[in-house]
Amino acid sequence: MKEVRPWNAALYDSSLGFVSRYGQDLLQILKPAAGEKILDLGCGTGDLADEMTKLGADVTGLDASEEMISRAREKYPELRFIIGRAESFRAEEPYDAVFSNAALHWVKDAKGATESIWEALRPGGRFVAEFGGKGNVRLFASAIEEVLASRYDVDAAARNPWYYPSIGEYASLLEQTGFDVVFAELFDRPTPLGDEQGIRDWLSMFARPYFSGMSEEQTAEASEWITGKLTQVLARSSEGWLADYRRLRIVALKRG
Ligand SMILES: C[S@@+](CC[C@H](N)C(=O)[O-])C[C@H]1O[C@@H](n2cnc3c(N)ncnc32)[C@H](O)[C@@H]1O
């Protein structure tokens, strides 16, 4: 299967491990029980699938990126990982829960994804997800779009790769699909990235679709401009620059 977009699995694990660390909070909400069949949607390199397996759940990890899945298989050879796309996969057997951390904002076909998730669950099964919500990384998107438009004449806003819905938008979509939404929260979570290299790594990992068609040199140069702009507007903590994350957390049950 063709990758949705290239993911650098090694960089993900070495510099951006905070993503799955924050996912621990979501696991507390999911509370996987021993023997439950759970799908980890957009599982990345498999750390949270492994955590759920250690709690006794029967976990399958699904991700669109061959590179992320191949690293997950290397790290956790005893676990089951499959390549598939959130917006179109079909499960062979029903799951008790679909879990998804930091993945669904990459899926612009949100209707397709919620339908796939609904199809994958048994009646009464739960969908527990966290991803970027309305307003997430607004400062990053503005800096990227300003630099690309002013210096490279790129209509960068048209390349914005993310889907960051409000609670109202996403809860309505879930209800139309056949879920009861039992919990929804949109909250700011300033996320430390360390020094300027942390900003560059973030851009390299998560903002690549913006640089489509640009050479590696141009991309590196643009990243420097963007990083410079961001250091003028981002807040800072003792752990370095703070990315302006805003997360949407949702729990929904498939109507039985
Ligand atoms: C930021 S990573 C999160 C990985 C993991 N859930 C974690 O918490 O570490 C986002 C993942 O979403 C996956 N992804 C992006 N678009 C996808 C799609 N359409 N279907 C399935 N997975 C997708 C990427 O390949 C990547 O592994």
Side-chain angles (χ1 to χ4, degrees), residues 7 12 20 42-44 48 63-65 68 85-87 101-103 106:
W7 283 81
Y12 187 76
S20 40
C43 63
L48 294 172
D63 199 285
S65 160
M68 297 296 256
R85 298 179 65 140
E87 56 275 56
N101 182 54
W106 293 105

Side-chain angles (χ1 to χ4, degrees), residues 3-7 12-13 16-24 40-48 62-66 68-69 83-89 99-108 113 205-206 247:
E3 291 196 33
V4 174
R5 57 179 290 276
W7 283 81
Y12 187 76
D13 276 350
L16 298 149
F18 66 81
V19 178
S20 40
R21 282 198 295 279
Y22 280 121
Q24 299 287 344
D40 182 356
L41 186 59
C43 63
T45 62
D47 292 354
L48 294 172
L62 181 143
D63 199 285
S65 160
E66 288 175 26
M68 297 296 256
I69 286 289
I83 296 171
R85 298 179 65 140
E87 56 275 56
S88 55
F89 78 95
F99 171 88
S100 185
N101 182 54
L104 288 171
H105 48 251
W106 293 105
V107 185
K108 286 210 159 171
M205 186 77 210
F206 297 129
R247 312 312 275 177

Side-chain angles (χ1 to χ4, degrees), residues 194-210:
D195 61 10
E196 280 78 348
Q197 188 54 40
I199 300 180
R200 288 186 204 105
D201 286 347
W202 193 98
L203 293 169
S204 166
M205 186 77 210
F206 297 129
R208 282 205 93 80
Y210 273 116

Side-chain angles (χ1 to χ4, degrees), residues 31-241:
K31 291 195 181 58
E36 276 195 312
K37 249 175 93 66
I38 296 177
L39 180 70
D40 182 356
L41 186 59
C43 63
T45 62
D47 292 354
L48 294 172
D50 179 55
E51 295 279 333
M52 290 186 264
T53 305
K54 286 185 180 136
L55 295 169
D58 174 11
V59 184
T60 300
L62 181 143
D63 199 285
S65 160
E66 288 175 26
E67 183 172 342
M68 297 296 256
I69 286 289
S70 104
R71 186 154 176 106
R73 286 179 179 147
E74 267 167 40
K75 284 163 71 180
Y76 306 110
E78 67 290 356
L79 268 61
R80 187 168 48 249
F81 292 105
I82 52 180
I83 296 171
R85 298 179 65 140
E87 56 275 56
S88 55
F89 78 95
R90 284 294 175 265
E92 283 171 10
E93 287 174 43
Y95 287 90
D96 296 303
V98 174
F99 171 88
S100 185
N101 182 54
L104 288 171
H105 48 251
W106 293 105
V107 185
K108 286 210 159 171
D109 179 5
K111 187 168 185 295
T114 51
E115 285 171 2
S116 297
I117 294 162
W118 190 90
E119 291 282 350
L121 284 166
R122 65 164 171 78
R126 59 206 193 282
F127 168 48
V128 176
E130 181 179 317
F131 56 101
K134 196 168 179 64
N136 193 47
V137 295
R138 204 193 294 273
L139 294 173
F140 274 71
S142 304
I144 295 167
E145 291 172 16
E146 272 170 43
V147 166
L148 293 189
S150 63
R151 298 192 169 267
Y152 301 91
D153 201 22
V154 167
D155 178 9
R159 294 183 175 184
N160 185 314
W162 304 304
Y163 166 69
Y164 294 144
S166 66
I167 288 183
E169 190 181 343
Y170 202 63
S172 301
L173 178 62
L174 287 169
E175 285 172 359
Q176 283 158 23
T177 312
F179 286 95
D180 287 332
V181 177
V182 295
F183 174 85
E185 186 182 18
L186 182 69
F187 59 100
D188 287 323
R189 195 190 58 212
T191 299
L193 296 181
D195 61 10
E196 280 78 348
Q197 188 54 40
I199 300 180
R200 288 186 204 105
D201 286 347
W202 193 98
L203 293 169
S204 166
M205 186 77 210
F206 297 129
R208 282 205 93 80
Y210 273 116
F211 304 112
S212 150
M214 292 170 66
S215 67
E216 281 305 316
E217 292 74 25
Q218 273 181 325
T219 303
E221 183 192 71
S223 292
E224 284 313 306
W225 285 111
I226 296 163
T227 301
K229 226 175 213 320
L230 282 168
T231 56
Q232 291 165 28
V233 292
L234 291 180
R236 227 186 126 83
S237 74
S238 56
E239 294 170 85
W241 298 108

